[in-house]
Amino acid sequence: MPGTMTSCQTPPLTDAPHTPPAPETLTYSLTLPAAPPSPAIARTATRSILQAHGLADMTDAAVQTVSELAACACRFTPAAEIYVSLRYRDGALRVILYDAHPRHTNPRLAAACDSRRRATLRVLSCAVRACAGEWGFGEAREPGGGTRMWAVLPRAGARAYGGEWCAA
């Protein structure tokens, strides 16, 4: 039987509709090595992403948040990589980091590990509080497990970041 050959044609890039970056289109994910330079890379990427999406007024708070979470993830993960997610929804930047550190099943070990992670994130806590945001960590629901850390920074609070100091 003779065969029919068809080809899928893709339109040239110039014909594709272009939507300029806007706050509502900010949705990025990065996989970074669990290494000392990665928090700096995450900071640089966050700065560029916010600038491109018209959210430069959130830069100081967002960069501090991403940096603290990335440093913590690099410190705790037993894996070679960490995962960073940035999303802007409902007037707030959502930052999520995943590391491969498993949640402990022994309650005493879990409490000690959570205490150590909370202490590592003390500066993050101050920054998020100054922005009237929220943060936390817990078991990752992703395949492979690990720990999910997150922070939500409302834009209005992040704009004012730096004008307030964290009380010890």
Side-chain angles (χ1 to χ4, degrees), residues 16-85:
H18 175 69
T19 304
E24 296 74 29
T25 62
L26 191 154
T27 175
Y28 291 84
S29 300
L30 306 165
T31 301
L32 298 171
S38 288
I41 294 167
R43 287 191 301 270
T44 301
T46 299
R47 242 184 235 104
S48 296
I49 290 166
L50 292 173
Q51 181 73 35
H53 286 269
L55 294 167
D57 56 347
M58 297 184 74
T59 300
D60 290 344
V63 166
Q64 184 71 52
T65 298
V66 167
S67 184
E68 296 297 325
L69 289 172
C72 182
C74 288
R75 178 178 179 199
F76 278 82
T77 191
E81 298 174 333
I82 60 170
Y83 174 81
V84 182
S85 170

Side-chain angles (χ1 to χ4, degrees), residues 32-40 42-43 63-79 81-84 96-101 103 113-125 135-138 147-150:
L32 298 171
S38 288
R43 287 191 301 270
V63 166
Q64 184 71 52
T65 298
V66 167
S67 184
E68 296 297 325
L69 289 172
C72 182
C74 288
R75 178 178 179 199
F76 278 82
T77 191
E81 298 174 333
I82 60 170
Y83 174 81
V84 182
I96 301 172
L97 268 94
Y98 292 94
D99 67 60
H101 182 75
R103 302 294 295 163
C113 188
D114 287 354
S115 178
R116 196 167 39 247
R117 190 178 289 261
R118 207 171 281 109
T120 300
L121 294 170
R122 191 173 304 128
V123 172
L124 170 79
S125 177
W135 71 280
F137 60 88
T147 301
R148 174 184 179 262
M149 298 180 291
W150 56 271

